[in-house]
Amino acid sequence: MTPSACPGWTEIDRNPRTAIIAGGSNGFYQMHADGRIWKYDGLGSCTATACPGWTLIDQNSSSRQIVAARGTLFQRHADGRIWRYDGQSSCIPAGCPGWAQIDNNPRTVAIAGGSDGFYQLHASGGMFKYDGVSSCVGSSCGGWGEIDHNPRTVEIVASGGTLLQRHVDGRIWKYDGQGFCTPTACPGWLPIDANPRTVEIVAAGSAIFQRHVDGRIFKYDGQSYCIAGGC
């Protein structure tokens, strides 16, 4: 395949250090392998000598994951700390302002979010929903409500107002957006599939997809749930 065979694409960057990209209604971002995070201005495209249109918004080597959610950008550090971007600031010689710490739990292993919610997953399977406004004060970080604590959870994905989790046995669950854990249970989760061949799930807009170990891909109808006879 030659470059002329697939029209419709404009090159906006060509940096081999890029490791993660993330985007939402608020913008498009990239994170480099060294932890630097860049925000795209939405207009720049590459010339023969350079790719303008990118603004440096953070440069922390501890950064491991970025997620665009709730109208802004979030990042997770290697030590589990989570930070929320103010959407406006850029790096200056003295540092990179504009980031508020919203959690500092070393058990955090993943973050996910969409336009209507932001979530974190712990190594133990604990899952928490952010209230959208709280920040850490000293060593205390409020604003998180527990929505599940299942050690079988291995993946969470979110888009729009939808949150999904995949268990190690391939089962997929959809969150109702409202339930929180009580001392005895964590309601609000509906089973939508139970296939042990499932190895990956993706939420894109209002659509949900899954990939099986044999390469098969399935799209969810958005309505059905598992019943006694199957999913």
Side-chain angles (χ1 to χ4, degrees):
M1 183 176 292
T2 64
S4 61
C6 299
W9 294 90
T10 298
E11 186 179 27
I12 61 172
D13 201 28
R14 57 171 79 107
N15 196 313
R17 292 172 295 184
T18 301
I20 299 175
I21 57 175
S25 59
N26 61 302
F28 180 68
Y29 310 85
Q30 62 168 296
M31 188 179 83
H32 288 184
D34 62 3
R36 291 174 183 261
I37 302 174
W38 303 75
K39 182 179 181 181
Y40 181 51
D41 67 8
L43 300 171
S45 58
C46 293
T47 66
T49 58
C51 297
W54 294 92
T55 299
L56 181 65
I57 60 173
D58 200 31
Q59 47 187 355
N60 194 310
S61 60
S62 295
S63 299
R64 293 293 183 271
Q65 185 182 5
I66 56 173
V67 166
R70 296 186 66 95
T72 190
L73 184 72
F74 298 83
Q75 63 168 297
R76 175 179 61 87
H77 284 188
D79 61 3
R81 294 175 185 266
I82 302 174
W83 302 76
R84 182 187 67 225
Y85 179 50
D86 67 8
Q88 304 297 324
S89 301
S90 57
C91 293
I92 56 177
C96 298
W99 293 91
Q101 185 178 348
I102 61 172
D103 201 31
N104 57 6
N105 197 311
R107 292 172 292 185
T108 302
V109 294
I111 54 176
S115 58
D116 297 329
F118 180 68
Y119 313 88
Q120 63 168 295
L121 174 68
H122 286 186
S124 62
M127 201 180 307
F128 298 82
K129 181 179 181 180
Y130 179 50
D131 66 9
V133 295
S134 298
S135 299
C136 295
V137 179
S139 61
S140 178
C141 301
W144 295 91
E146 188 178 27
I147 59 175
D148 202 24
H149 49 229
N150 196 313
R152 292 172 293 182
T153 303
V154 294
E155 182 183 17
I156 59 171
V157 299
S159 179
T162 300
L163 173 68
L164 305 166
Q165 63 168 297
R166 176 176 62 88
H167 286 185
V168 67
D169 60 3
R171 292 178 182 268
I172 304 173
W173 301 76
K174 182 180 179 182
Y175 180 52
D176 68 5
Q178 305 297 322
F180 289 91
C181 294
T182 68
T184 57
C186 296
W189 292 94
L190 299 168
I192 62 173
D193 201 32
N195 196 312
R197 292 171 293 182
T198 303
V199 294
E200 185 181 13
I201 54 176
V202 169
S206 60
I208 298 168
F209 304 87
Q210 62 168 293
R211 176 176 64 88
H212 285 188
V213 67
D214 60 3
R216 292 173 181 258
I217 300 174
F218 295 82
K219 182 180 179 181
Y220 178 51
D221 68 9
Q223 303 298 323
S224 302
Y225 300 100
C226 295
I227 55 177
C231 300

